C-alpha cells in the first residue's frame, strides 16, 4: 500500500474540474478500450479475482474504518442511545467496518455478506466474531437474493461502502432493489464510493477502460466512478428517497513521493419510503 495522509476534506454539489493535463489523461484512455471478449471474461471471473485479492492480502490491505459512525450520524445516534439496531454490511470484506462498530455498540446485530468466500471466512476467523452478534455469509449482491438469508423489512441500516463500484453498471439497479427489500420502511442505505474525476480514475493506463467511467485494475478487479445525478436516479428508481447525495473532496499527500492527490468520493443517505 502507498503511504497517504489526508490533509483536508469538504463536501461539494459540483463535479471536480479537471486541468488541461488531466483532460489529456482521460483522452488517452479512450485510444484503446478493453475488448468485448475480455470484458465478458472479467464479469465471469469477478468472484475469482476478489478471492485471489483476499488470498494475497488476507486482512492486511484495508485499514479499519473507525470513521463510519462519524460520517453517518444515523449510526452514531443509535449507538449513543443504546438503541437496538440490525445492520447489514453489504460487501463486508474482512470486517474493517463491522468490527469497530461492534466494539462501540452494545445492542447491535450485524449481517455481513461478501462476494468472496475467502473474505467471509476471514471475518468468521476474526477473534471478535460472535454468532450471537453477527451472521457472515457469502452473497453475490448482483444475482443472489438477500431475502433468502435476511427477513424482508427487518434491517434498520445498510452500509454499502466502496462496493457498488466493483459491480457491472448494468446490475446496479438489481443490487439497490435487493437491499431495499430487506430494509425496514424508514430505514437508511448509507453509501460511499468513488466519485467522477477521482485521481485514481485519471491514473488508469490505456487499455484499462471498459466503458464510460468503468475500469479494470491490474489485478483483474474493477472500479466504477459515480456521478451524483446518476446515483440519485438509481436510488429513486429503486424505491428510496434521497436524504443527501454529494461529493466528498479530499486532498491527500503521498508522503514518500511528496505528491498531492485529489480524491473524490460520492457519499449519500437514502431512506426507504414508508408505504402509503
Amino acid at each position: 500500500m502507498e503511504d497517504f495522509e489526508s490533509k483536508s476534506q469538504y463536501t461539494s454539489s459540483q463535479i471536480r474540474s479537471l486541468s488541461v493535463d488531466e483532460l489529456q489523461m482521460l483522452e488517452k484512455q479512450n485510444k484503446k478500450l478493453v475488448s468485448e471478449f475480455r470484458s465478458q471474461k472479467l464479469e465471469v471471473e469477478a468472484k475469482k479475482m476478489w478471492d485471489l485479492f483476499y488470498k494475497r492480502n488476507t486482512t492486511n490491505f484495508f485499514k479499519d474504518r473507525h470513521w463510519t459512525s462519524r460520517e453517518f450520524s444515523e449510526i452514531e445516534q443509535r449507538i449513543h442511545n443504546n438503541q437496538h439496531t440490525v445492520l447489514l454490511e453489504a460487501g463486508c470484506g474482512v470486517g474493517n467496518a463491522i468490527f469497530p462498530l461492534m466494539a462501540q455498540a452494545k445492542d447491535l446485530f450485524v449481517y455481513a455478506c461478501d462476494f468472496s468466500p475467502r473474505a467471509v471466512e476471514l471475518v468468521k476467523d476474526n477473534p471478535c466474531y460472535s454468532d450471537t452478534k453477527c451472521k457472515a455469509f457469502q452473497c453475490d449482491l448482483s444475482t443472489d437474493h438477500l431475502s433468502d438469508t435476511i427477513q424482508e423489512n427487518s434491517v434498520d441500516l445498510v452500509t454499502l461502502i466502496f462496493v457498488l463500484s466493483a459491480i457491472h453498471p448494468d446490475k446496479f439497479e438489481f443490487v439497490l432493489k435487493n437491499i431495499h427489500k430487506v430494509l425496514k420502511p424508514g430505514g437508511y442505505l448509507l453509501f460511499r464510493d468513488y466519485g467522477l474525476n477521482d485521481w485514481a480514475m485519471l491514473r488508469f493506463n490505456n487499455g484499462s477502460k471498459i466503458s464510460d467511467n468503468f475500469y479494470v485494475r491490474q489485478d483483474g478487479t474493477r472500479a466504477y466512478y459515480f456521478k451524483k445525478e446518476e446515483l440519485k436516479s438509481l436510488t429513486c428508481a429503486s424505491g428510496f428517497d434521497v436524504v443527501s447525495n454529494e461529493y466528498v473532496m479530499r486532498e491527500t499527500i503521498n508522503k514518500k513521493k511528496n505528491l498531492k492527490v485529489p480524491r473524490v468520493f460520492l457519499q449519500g443517505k437514502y431512506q426507504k419510503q414508508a408505504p402509503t
Side-chain angles (χ1 to χ4, degrees):
M1 296 175 64
E2 292 183 283
D3 193 10
F4 286 99
E5 178 184 357
S6 179
K7 286 310 234 182
S8 63
Q9 177 175 303
Y10 64 94
T11 59
S12 174
S13 61
Q14 303 298 318
I15 294 174
R16 184 175 80 86
S17 298
L18 298 180
S19 67
V20 172
D21 287 345
E22 288 173 330
L23 288 169
Q24 289 175 349
M25 292 169 73
L26 281 185
E27 185 60 32
K28 287 179 181 178
Q29 295 173 353
N30 291 323
K31 291 183 178 180
K32 182 182 179 183
L33 301 180
V34 171
S35 69
E36 182 62 26
F37 173 79
R38 188 180 179 216
S39 178
Q40 292 178 4
K41 189 169 186 285
L42 289 167
E43 177 66 16
V44 170
E45 296 184 345
K47 183 189 295 185
K48 174 185 174 183
M49 292 299 103
W50 278 109
D51 238 26
L52 288 171
F53 173 89
Y54 287 112
K55 181 179 181 180
R56 287 191 303 272
N57 298 292
T58 62
T59 59
N60 301 317
F61 191 82
F62 299 112
K63 295 179 180 179
D64 281 350
R65 292 173 177 162
H66 295 283
W67 51 264
T68 310
S69 58
R70 183 182 71 244
E71 289 290 334
F72 297 110
S73 60
E74 290 75 12
I75 298 176
E76 177 63 33
Q77 288 170 4
R78 297 183 77 96
I79 291 174
H80 179 74
N81 295 330
N82 291 325
Q83 189 172 357
H84 176 66
T85 301
V86 177
L87 181 143
L88 165 62
E89 171 84 346
C92 62
V94 295
N96 297 97
I98 63 170
F99 289 121
L101 288 176
M102 288 166 64
Q104 292 179 61
K106 294 180 180 179
D107 198 2
L108 173 70
F109 185 85
V110 175
Y111 289 103
C113 70
D114 201 89
F115 194 21
S116 164
R118 191 179 299 270
V120 172
E121 287 307 310
L122 289 167
V123 169
K124 291 181 175 181
D125 289 342
N126 190 300
C128 296
Y129 183 83
S130 166
D131 287 329
T132 62
K133 296 193 69 175
C134 184
K135 179 177 177 61
F137 61 102
Q138 193 277 330
C139 178
D140 181 349
L141 292 168
S142 70
T143 57
D144 299 333
H145 292 276
L146 286 166
S147 56
D148 289 343
T149 302
I150 305 171
Q151 184 179 343
E152 293 183 21
N153 303 308
S154 67
V155 175
D156 298 294
L157 302 171
V158 177
T159 54
L160 188 66
I161 300 175
F162 298 110
V163 171
L164 197 60
S165 56
I167 295 169
H168 195 287
D170 289 349
K171 298 182 176 180
F172 288 165
E173 192 167 332
F174 180 93
V175 173
L176 293 171
K177 288 181 176 178
N178 201 3
I179 289 169
H180 182 274
K181 186 176 288 188
V182 298
L183 257 180
K184 291 179 180 177
Y188 288 92
L189 167 62
L190 308 175
F191 177 92
R192 186 164 185 158
D193 219 318
Y194 302 112
L196 193 69
N197 294 346
D198 179 34
W199 178 250
M201 173 181 170
L202 306 180
R203 292 181 63 193
F204 280 103
N205 295 323
N206 192 20
S208 299
K209 187 172 182 179
I210 301 170
S211 59
D212 287 347
N213 309 328
F214 193 38
Y215 298 83
V216 58
R217 302 185 183 95
Q218 289 184 342
D219 65 0
T221 62
R222 299 169 298 176
Y224 187 86
Y225 296 82
F226 290 91
K227 294 184 286 188
K228 58 175 290 190
E229 296 81 7
E230 164 186 40
L231 196 61
K232 178 181 178 181
S233 177
L234 281 165
T235 50
C236 288
S238 302
F240 292 94
D241 290 326
V242 177
V243 178
S244 65
N245 186 54
E246 55 193 355
Y247 296 108
V248 175
M249 308 294 191
R250 177 185 291 174
E251 182 184 88
T252 59
I253 305 243
N254 184 323
K255 292 184 285 187
K256 289 183 179 178
K257 299 179 182 178
N258 195 27
L259 176 68
K260 291 184 179 180
V261 175
R263 300 306 310 269
V264 181
F265 307 116
L266 186 61
Q267 184 164 305
K269 303 175 187 180
Y270 313 95
Q271 189 172 29
K272 180 172 179 175
Q273 300 164 358
T276 55

